[in-house]
Amino acid sequence: MATFSRDIQVHFSDTDPAGIIFYPRYFEMTSGLIEDWFADALGHPFNAMHQGMEHGVPTISLDISFSAASRIADRLRLTLAVERLGKSSITLDITAICGDEERFKMRQVLVYAALGGKVRPKPLPAQLRARMEPFLTTESAKDS
Amino acid sequence: MATFSRDIQVHFSDTDPAGIIFYPRYFEMTSGLIEDWFADALGHPFNAMHQGMEHGVPTISLDISFSAASRIADRLRLTLAVERLGKSSITLDITAICGDEERFKMRQVLVYAALGGKVRPKPLPAQLRARMEPFLTTESAKDS
Amino acid sequence: MATFSRDIQVHFSDTDPAGIIFYPRYFEMTSGLIEDWFADALGHPFNAMHQGMEHGVPTISLDISFSAASRIADRLRLTLAVERLGKSSITLDITAICGDEERFKMRQVLVYAALGGKVRPKPLPAQLRARMEPFLTTESAKDS
Amino acid sequence: MATFSRDIQVHFSDTDPAGIIFYPRYFEMTSGLIEDWFADALGHPFNAMHQGMEHGVPTISLDISFSAASRIADRLRLTLAVERLGKSSITLDITAICGDEERFKMRQVLVYAALGGKVRPKPLPAQLRARMEPFLTTESAKDS
């Protein structure tokens, strides 16, 4: 099983007057992580999907639990794996740690979709699906 | 039962190259909604909580479902109610609509806490709790 | 001479651990101000310009002086006027005050341009130009 | 003469519906560059300045010219040098290139200041000044 990781440093500007990270920043970080995964690991950069094919992977739901606060100068490691591949949907597990302390745990569901006008789910292209499979957390998750 | 609402317009800068709102912007909007609720409806502005009392209401978890995409110039109405009040925790229901179309539905759990050093949950002050009660979605939610 | 104004409240999330506004937030505010001016006062909303006409008004330069720090809960009034209209360029004067205290003063130059591929300046459409003229700070500025 | 650089990739979320970077994102990038320079090259991390000493380096002015648009997946190199050191002020030259194409050129003036209550300029500490001097673009700039 493969995972995809990225290290990010918490900057001054990510934190609020309490010295704690302003949590919407986390979603910018995880959005960047997913984008880099598509470009660097899956060979499907967002801009190619959008421009050439009018497709994208909008998020349809997410849930997140924050375990401990992040502060300025913390170096976070974000890691992504695939929990489940549906016909069109991609369920991701994303975690952030700082050293060995967990900071958050997130499940995020994307859907492969045509974007012109109304968002319409489309079957995941076979090649993209094949490149995602090594990132599945369990074999059983594939049969769906 | 009371609710707290705020209208927000989607700007060009909130949207991505697909013309669809970049969802981390939603969390900035709901964070502002919660902040305004504390200041305008509860009489507990964030800056007073932080500066005078070293307390705050960090988010410990949230889950959100996106029902339809928002686009430039959409005018969203965000509405907040309280689903449950625990000893220290506050569970919020937040929805966004555009006209009569739902855009997202979120449940967000905050915890009243001391912020110096490690985040430590503290009992909700009686006055703050009393001011939140009118926003409870059901009477039954109070007994916890 | 007309001006275009908008009131914006500084939120917790706009400020850094020093309790002072994180200045990049100002540019999101002024970007929104300019966008609202195009949509509400000039009748040329950004989305129509982009989608129908493949035109836009990218910024080519700006300079800003910060006079005093903004803090949480400050209510800022942003005001825009036009200093000069060139063939393709629009020079804006933007100021922010809180009560009667100036917070910043900015000059920002936009250029009307075709956006497909490389950005190419185009003459300001006559109607758009005519609608901008009432916002000119001096009559003399028109002859350029 | 030393310079301080950092490579940053333009993400999907940094760009607007025209596919061009939303310029306020540049200021988040340069803010991070300055913060990293203080922490990594000068040995004066922002959090130590703020927490221990109640000092900071707020920006008092900046001017920027954009030479060419940045787009998704562009890899930018941001480079900082010091143009001038005043008693309290630090004038920075910051440039961004992509390959050998210039994207922007910025001059930004910071002031070393006490931050409690009103921002009050203070003389640059001798050690901090000494560590900045190698980054001066010209020898002559020192005598001020």
Side-chain angles (χ1 to χ4, degrees):
Chain A
M1 171 198 151
T3 59
F4 183 79
S5 292
R6 201 181 166 203
D7 290 343
I8 294 186
Q9 196 185 327
V10 178
H11 279 86
F12 196 70
S13 56
D14 297 319
T15 60
D16 66 21
I20 292 178
I21 200 168
F22 177 56
Y23 65 88
R25 301 286 166 258
Y26 279 144
F27 299 107
E28 297 181 22
M29 294 174 184
T30 54
S31 165
L33 176 77
I34 295 170
E35 184 178 342
D36 289 349
W37 180 54
F38 271 81
D40 301 343
L42 305 179
H44 270 68
F46 277 15
N47 47 341
M49 268 201 291
H50 281 276
Q51 284 163 21
M53 303 184 288
E54 305 279 307
H55 284 78
V57 282
T59 294
I60 54 170
S61 67
L62 66 82
D63 59 277
I64 184 167
S65 298
F66 303 97
S67 341
S70 293
R71 296 170 190 275
I72 307 177
D74 281 355
R75 194 165 284 276
L76 305 178
R77 168 155 295 185
L78 276 68
T79 300
L80 167 161
V82 178
E83 187 185 307
R84 186 177 172 282
L85 287 177
K87 201 178 176 225
S88 307
S89 70
I90 307 146
T91 304
L92 302 176
D93 274 331
I94 301 177
T95 54
I97 55 170
C98 180
D100 52 10
E101 185 181 61
E102 187 188 275
R103 292 299 165 83
F104 70 78
K105 227 184 164 73
M106 178 160 79
R107 175 183 292 113
Q108 180 163 359
V109 184
L110 313 178
V111 63
Y112 189 80
L115 294 178
K118 223 174 133 53
V119 172
R120 297 178 313 279
K122 295 281 170 190
L124 266 170
Q127 191 204 44
L128 180 55
R129 183 183 199 87
R131 291 189 179 167
M132 284 180 175
E133 287 181 346
F135 293 91
L136 274 165
T137 50
T138 62
E139 280 308 302
S140 64
K142 265 190 245 175
D143 48 21
S144 48
Chain B
M1 173 199 150
T3 58
F4 184 79
S5 291
R6 200 180 165 203
D7 290 344
I8 294 186
Q9 197 185 326
V10 177
H11 278 86
F12 196 72
S13 56
D14 297 319
T15 60
D16 65 21
I20 291 177
I21 199 168
F22 178 57
Y23 65 88
R25 301 285 165 259
Y26 279 144
F27 300 107
E28 298 182 21
M29 295 175 184
T30 53
S31 164
L33 177 75
I34 295 170
E35 183 178 343
D36 289 348
W37 180 54
F38 270 81
D40 301 343
L42 305 179
H44 270 68
F46 276 16
N47 46 342
M49 269 201 291
H50 280 276
Q51 284 164 20
M53 303 184 290
E54 303 281 305
H55 284 78
V57 282
T59 294
I60 55 170
S61 67
L62 66 83
D63 60 277
I64 183 166
S65 299
F66 303 97
S67 341
S70 293
R71 294 171 191 276
I72 306 178
D74 281 354
R75 194 166 284 275
L76 306 178
R77 167 154 299 184
L78 276 67
T79 300
L80 167 161
V82 179
E83 188 185 305
R84 186 177 172 283
L85 287 177
K87 199 176 178 227
S88 307
S89 70
I90 306 147
T91 304
L92 302 176
D93 273 331
I94 300 177
T95 55
I97 56 171
C98 179
D100 53 9
E101 186 181 61
E102 187 188 276
R103 292 301 164 83
F104 69 78
K105 229 184 163 74
M106 178 161 77
R107 175 184 292 114
Q108 181 164 359
V109 183
L110 314 178
V111 63
Y112 189 80
L115 295 177
K118 222 174 135 53
V119 172
R120 298 178 312 279
K122 295 282 171 189
L124 265 171
Q127 192 205 43
L128 181 56
R129 183 183 198 87
R131 291 190 180 167
M132 284 180 175
E133 286 181 346
F135 293 91
L136 274 165
T137 50
T138 61
E139 280 308 303
S140 64
K142 264 190 246 176
D143 48 20
S144 48
Chain C
M1 172 199 150
T3 58
F4 183 79
S5 291
R6 201 182 166 201
D7 290 344
I8 294 185
Q9 197 185 326
V10 178
H11 278 86
F12 197 69
S13 55
D14 297 318
T15 61
D16 66 21
I20 292 178
I21 199 169
F22 178 56
Y23 65 88
R25 302 286 166 255
Y26 279 144
F27 300 107
E28 297 181 22
M29 294 174 184
T30 54
S31 165
L33 176 77
I34 295 170
E35 184 178 343
D36 290 348
W37 179 55
F38 271 81
D40 302 342
L42 304 179
H44 270 68
F46 276 16
N47 47 341
M49 269 201 291
H50 281 276
Q51 283 162 22
M53 303 183 290
E54 304 280 306
H55 284 79
V57 282
T59 295
I60 55 169
S61 68
L62 67 82
D63 60 277
I64 185 167
S65 298
F66 304 97
S67 340
S70 293
R71 295 170 191 276
I72 306 176
D74 280 355
R75 193 164 285 276
L76 305 179
R77 168 155 297 184
L78 276 66
T79 300
L80 167 162
V82 179
E83 187 186 305
R84 187 177 172 281
L85 287 177
K87 200 176 178 228
S88 306
S89 70
I90 306 146
T91 304
L92 302 176
D93 274 330
I94 300 177
T95 55
I97 55 170
C98 180
D100 52 9
E101 185 181 62
E102 188 188 276
R103 291 300 164 82
F104 70 77
K105 228 185 163 75
M106 178 160 78
R107 175 183 293 115
Q108 181 164 359
V109 183
L110 314 177
V111 63
Y112 188 80
L115 295 177
K118 221 175 134 53
V119 172
R120 297 177 313 280
K122 295 281 172 190
L124 266 170
Q127 193 204 44
L128 181 55
R129 184 184 198 86
R131 291 188 179 168
M132 284 180 176
E133 286 181 347
F135 293 91
L136 274 165
T137 50
T138 61
E139 281 308 303
S140 65
K142 265 190 245 174
D143 48 21
S144 48
Chain D
M1 172 197 149
T3 58
F4 184 79
S5 292
R6 201 182 165 202
D7 290 344
I8 294 186
Q9 197 184 326
V10 178
H11 278 86
F12 197 70
S13 56
D14 297 319
T15 61
D16 66 22
I20 291 177
I21 198 168
F22 177 57
Y23 65 88
R25 302 283 166 260
Y26 279 144
F27 300 107
E28 298 181 21
M29 295 174 183
T30 54
S31 165
L33 176 76
I34 294 170
E35 184 178 342
D36 289 348
W37 179 54
F38 271 81
D40 301 343
L42 304 178
H44 270 68
F46 276 16
N47 47 343
M49 268 202 291
H50 281 276
Q51 284 162 21
M53 303 185 289
E54 304 279 307
H55 284 78
V57 283
T59 294
I60 54 170
S61 68
L62 66 82
D63 60 277
I64 184 166
S65 299
F66 303 97
S67 341
S70 293
R71 295 170 191 275
I72 307 177
D74 281 355
R75 194 164 285 276
L76 306 179
R77 168 154 298 183
L78 276 66
T79 301
L80 166 162
V82 179
E83 188 186 303
R84 187 178 171 281
L85 287 176
K87 199 177 179 231
S88 306
S89 70
I90 306 147
T91 304
L92 302 176
D93 275 330
I94 300 177
T95 55
I97 57 171
C98 179
D100 53 9
E101 185 182 61
E102 187 188 276
R103 293 299 165 84
F104 69 78
K105 228 184 163 75
M106 179 160 79
R107 176 184 292 114
Q108 181 164 358
V109 183
L110 315 177
V111 63
Y112 189 80
L115 295 177
K118 222 174 134 52
V119 172
R120 297 177 315 278
K122 295 281 172 190
L124 267 170
Q127 192 204 45
L128 180 56
R129 183 184 200 87
R131 291 189 180 167
M132 284 181 175
E133 286 181 347
F135 293 91
L136 274 164
T137 50
T138 61
E139 281 308 303
S140 63
K142 266 191 243 175
D143 48 21
S144 48

